[in-house]
Amino acid sequence: MELSEVIEKCRVDNVYLMKGPRPPQRGSLALIGHHMIFSSPSNGNGTNSSGAGSGSDELWLLHRMVDRVVVEPISRDQNGGKIGGYLKLKCKNFMICMFEIANYEDCAAVGRSIEKLSNLNGFEHDYPFYYRCPFNVLDDGWSAFETEQDFARLCIRCPDRWRISAVNKGFAVCPSYPEAVIVPKGIGDDFLKISASFRDGGRFPVLSYYHYETKSCIVRCGQPLIGPTGRRCREDFEILKCLVGSSKGYIVDTRTKQAAQSARNKGGGHESNYINWNYMNCSIPRVKELHDSLAKLVDICNESNVSADRWMSKLIGSGWLQGVTDTIITAATVAQFVHCEGSTSVTEVPVVIHGGEGLDSTLLASSLAQLLLDPDARTVRGFQALIEREWIAAGHPFSLRCAHSAYASGTLTGPQEGPVFLCFLDCVWQIYQQYPCSFEFTEEFLIFLFEHSYASEFGSFLGNNEKEKKEYGVKRGTVSLWSYVNNPEVLRSYVNAMYEPNESVLWPSVSPQSIVLWERLYLRWQRNWSETDAAKSTMMQWKIREKELQTKVLLLRRQLAELTKEAQVQNQLPQLQIKG
């Protein structure tokens, strides 16, 4: 299928932009395979939003970024005919664009075209496969964070406890795992295969994180398929027994007790009679709950003329901030087991995390716990590695979860859509705003990742797992998002000038006054941020200048020390000559 076949009307002139990311203005609306382009008359500088020189000021919008299309008539004639039309595009990044088009039929044709192009099944026609990289790739993001590299670093500090397994070669055992995984050294591949048959989605226990300070580990997996008959698996028991040794470990279930019991009635469940393991529930919202909460939150943010008390009441009622709080509490609990109990006990304290399939709340808990524990995860490159390892390679189904955002749901993907990754980014921002100097990246970097997880010219978030990436040739036919980010010209715009390396574990507050609305994301299109941006830019410039001066001071001190040393040597030479 050619994308041009879907386009009913490729260009409409005399269109009025009523609402959007720029002031109201007239121009032309054009549709091409992957973008909608609104071009207004030249503003005198001869540049457009894509950075290319031209005679018009252009607004480019990926069709995939459109979440919902609404077409309404402006008025009706005496015979009930529709005169003119409003085209409203509600985007996945919460932006709303509204156009006024004189001819209703043209408006409806453009709306139908964008609706089809923004909801194409599959992703083989997506823009990343057609995007031509305009910069030299200095650091290939596809090979920058491979499992073999993680294992090599692990072997330096802990050579005898873990091994890298190819049991999932060809994705034969678990379709949502990568082909190479890190598992306990004393466990053979035959045990892993049997454990996979006992775990939801074939997600047998694999290493997520090893804490060098306490020698404790975080392991993640899918729920055990115990079912109502209380099924057991000796091989799975042996894997967890190998982790815990003679100490006590913790199994953290990210579901409520009621949800875990309900899952058992449907064939799932939780570990029972696992010796030396403490089982506990730390509830994180389900995918559907997050989707509903986000929809309510965005509706609230789009409301106007609402009293402050009423607005705050509806914000709390959306449940989004409570979901973020619960997620941080779970991650902090895991971090506490690993760091605090591991440092006081004689032996390490392993933690196993699972919810249902291990694709959503499990990854939320494991990745956020690492952010709290590991200072390297709070650097730009370390954060990229965390997302690559704990979200992309770990099999979070981005194509399903991000098919729609807050304004709509798809007929095929609707039940599986949910802003799980956005919840992760929101949690990171909450910790960031409590520890603003402990993160090497900025708030803008988090917003950048949010937008690209829903629609992008890069292939990192395409597909639901590594298996799909391989089947569709994503790594061969697209550019990695990390290749773009790590370009020096781009990277400097996301580096936090206030960053000071902090080797300590972070313990964020979860009090009601500490967990706040991420205004720059959810109210991004409702407010004018120019003054805030200018103040932040000035502060960052002064901070950069301060660091430059500090570096210069250190250099001068080093030079002074060297000159002083040389002078002392010169003073000692005459005395040595006299003695000689």
Side-chain angles (χ1 to χ4, degrees), residues 136-195:
N136 293 326
V137 176
L138 304 176
D139 185 4
D140 185 9
W142 293 127
S143 58
F145 308 108
E146 294 179 340
T147 305
E148 290 78 7
Q149 297 177 10
D150 292 333
F151 181 67
R153 287 188 290 268
L154 180 64
C155 283
I156 296 174
R157 305 283 293 272
C158 183
D160 300 324
R161 284 201 57 189
W162 307 95
R163 71 180 181 92
I164 191 166
S165 171
V167 67
N168 200 38
K169 187 70 175 177
F171 310 98
V173 176
C174 177
S176 61
Y177 272 169
E179 292 188 281
V181 292
I182 301 175
V183 296
K185 195 168 187 178
I187 300 299
D189 286 351
D190 54 339
F191 273 47
L192 298 177
K193 292 178 181 178
I194 297 173
S195 173

Side-chain angles (χ1 to χ4, degrees), residues 37-107:
I37 307 170
F38 176 79
S39 57
S40 61
S42 176
N43 58 5
N45 62 10
T47 60
N48 60 29
S49 61
S50 64
S54 74
S56 64
D57 183 23
E58 296 181 346
L59 167 66
W60 289 61
L61 180 67
L62 273 169
H63 296 311
R64 280 290 190 188
M65 184 58 80
V66 177
D67 202 26
R68 186 182 178 190
V69 180
V70 179
V71 176
E72 298 174 343
I74 297 175
S75 62
R76 295 179 182 271
D77 58 22
Q78 295 178 349
N79 299 321
K82 300 173 182 178
I83 302 175
Y86 294 122
L87 174 65
K88 185 181 291 188
L89 304 179
K90 297 184 176 183
C91 300
K92 295 174 183 176
N93 63 352
F94 314 139
M95 177 179 71
I96 297 178
C97 294
M98 190 168 180
F99 301 92
E100 180 182 320
I101 301 176
N103 186 294
Y104 179 79
E105 295 302 325
D106 289 345
C107 182

Side-chain angles (χ1 to χ4, degrees), residues 279-294:
Y279 174 83
M280 65 181 302
N281 297 94
C282 292
S283 176
I284 291 178
R286 305 296 94 190
V287 175
K288 182 66 166 59
E289 294 176 280
L290 287 174
H291 186 275
D292 293 344
S293 294
L294 180 65

Side-chain angles (χ1 to χ4, degrees), residues 19 57 111 124 218 242 256 318 326 370 404 450 486 495 562:
K19 182 178 181 181
D57 183 23
E124 59 271 22
I218 298 176
C242 176
T256 62
S318 71
D326 293 341
Q370 292 179 52
H404 284 279
F450 156 67
N486 292 327
V495 173
E562 291 175 355

Side-chain angles (χ1 to χ4, degrees), residues 298-459:
V298 174
D299 282 344
I300 295 166
C301 293
N302 287 331
E303 287 187 3
S304 57
N305 301 323
V306 181
S307 66
D309 291 342
R310 177 66 175 162
W311 195 89
M312 184 59 66
S313 175
K314 296 181 76 172
L315 172 63
I316 296 172
S318 71
W320 180 260
L321 293 182
Q322 186 60 51
V324 168
T325 302
D326 293 341
T327 303
I328 295 177
I329 289 174
T330 300
T333 302
V334 172
Q336 185 176 16
F337 290 152
V338 170
H339 182 75
C340 299
E341 298 211 12
S343 62
T344 57
S345 63
V346 178
T347 57
E348 62 273 10
V349 178
V351 179
V352 174
I353 306 174
H354 72 70
E357 295 179 345
L359 298 171
D360 300 294
S361 58
T362 302
L363 303 182
L364 273 172
S366 66
S367 56
L368 273 178
Q370 292 179 52
L371 190 83
L372 298 176
L373 290 165
D374 187 4
D376 184 62
R378 302 191 287 269
T379 65
V380 175
R381 195 171 186 88
F383 192 63
Q384 293 173 24
L386 179 68
I387 293 174
E388 185 71 33
R389 181 179 65 251
E390 291 299 300
W391 289 91
I392 298 174
H396 179 67
F398 279 97
S399 288
L400 288 174
R401 297 291 184 263
C402 299
H404 284 279
S405 180
Y407 294 116
S409 61
T411 55
L412 297 177
T413 57
Q416 303 181 75
E417 295 164 4
V420 183
F421 187 64
L422 172 57
C423 180
F424 165 71
L425 295 177
D426 199 326
C427 292
V428 174
W429 179 83
Q430 300 289 344
I431 302 168
Y432 167 84
Q433 60 97 20
Q434 294 185 34
Y435 296 90
C437 298
S438 296
F439 290 81
E440 191 185 24
F441 49 85
T442 61
E443 175 185 39
E444 287 74 21
F445 185 54
L446 298 177
I447 296 175
F448 168 83
L449 293 174
F450 156 67
E451 290 195 327
H452 281 268
S453 67
Y454 279 94
S456 177
E457 61 266 40
F458 305 103

